[in-house]
Amino acid sequence: MTGPALVLVVAVAVLFAAGFDLLMQRSLIRIVVGFMLLGHGANLLLLLAGGAAGSPPLLGKRSTRPMADPLPQAMALTAIVITFGVTAFLLALAFRSRMLLGEDEVRDDVEDHRICAERRHEAWAGGPDEEADPLEEDAEHQDAEQEGAERGNGGTGGAA
């Protein structure tokens, strides 16, 4: 592998790594930027997969160089258009979330936490003589209090 191709491989790796890292953040703007970096990395990867530059494929002139493959260029152009459309959609969602909630942080899903706590509780209390994890019981008690407060009964942890 030659020098310029190796530099492009490293650039693709850095773009993918930074994109995935930002995609795992809780801020919606960072998620959008991470998605954009992934799109740029994918475009570079497609152009890198096309190989060395060759003669134009459709002009019909004879050349000593082999004909260039137009497919990676067409795929990169399609990826650019798709990335642009999805980025515009994600920015609109982030803007709407910012306007409605006043923040761009992704909130925890209370129902998802409850289901995970139930599964962990079932895993911990595998048999009749085994005790459940006390931390999970405390988390379930807090979830019940939060649900009760949301229902407006003073946080007494009413029946779920």
Side-chain angles (χ1 to χ4, degrees), residues 41-102:
N43 292 336
L44 273 179
L45 183 66
L46 286 171
L47 292 177
L48 186 62
S55 64
L58 299 176
L59 293 181
K61 295 181 180 177
R62 296 288 178 188
S63 175
T64 59
R65 296 184 301 174
M67 199 176 300
D69 187 13
L71 186 61
Q73 296 172 9
M75 290 175 67
L77 186 60
T78 304
I80 289 169
V81 172
I82 291 171
T83 302
F84 176 74
V86 174
T87 301
F89 179 69
L90 290 175
L91 281 173
L93 286 179
F95 178 75
R96 177 108 172 129
S97 175
R98 175 77 176 178
M99 290 295 113
L100 291 176
L101 302 175

Side-chain angles (χ1 to χ4, degrees), residues 2-160:
T2 62
L6 186 60
V7 170
L8 284 177
V9 168
V10 171
V12 167
V14 168
L15 284 172
F16 275 134
F20 280 122
D21 183 48
L22 288 173
L23 206 60
M24 295 296 133
Q25 302 293 321
R26 298 184 65 91
S27 173
L28 290 175
I29 295 300
R30 289 183 183 193
I31 291 171
V32 171
V33 171
F35 181 78
M36 289 169 44
L37 288 178
L38 284 176
H40 293 314
N43 292 336
L44 273 179
L45 183 66
L46 286 171
L47 292 177
L48 186 62
S55 64
L58 299 176
L59 293 181
K61 295 181 180 177
R62 296 288 178 188
S63 175
T64 59
R65 296 184 301 174
M67 199 176 300
D69 187 13
L71 186 61
Q73 296 172 9
M75 290 175 67
L77 186 60
T78 304
I80 289 169
V81 172
I82 291 171
T83 302
F84 176 74
V86 174
T87 301
F89 179 69
L90 290 175
L91 281 173
L93 286 179
F95 178 75
R96 177 108 172 129
S97 175
R98 175 77 176 178
M99 290 295 113
L100 291 176
L101 302 175
E103 62 185 5
D104 72 336
E105 296 289 323
V106 178
R107 294 183 179 176
D108 287 338
D109 187 11
V110 178
E111 184 69 14
D112 187 39
H113 281 294
R114 185 187 63 78
I115 291 171
C116 288
E118 285 178 4
R119 288 187 180 163
R120 280 193 227 117
H121 178 69
E122 291 171 0
W124 275 89
D129 51 332
E130 290 186 30
E131 292 184 18
D133 184 17
L135 295 176
E136 293 299 327
E137 290 176 358
D138 185 42
E140 289 175 3
H141 179 67
Q142 288 176 354
D143 288 343
E145 285 180 358
Q146 185 178 8
E147 288 176 9
E150 289 173 357
R151 289 189 182 133
N153 61 3
T156 59

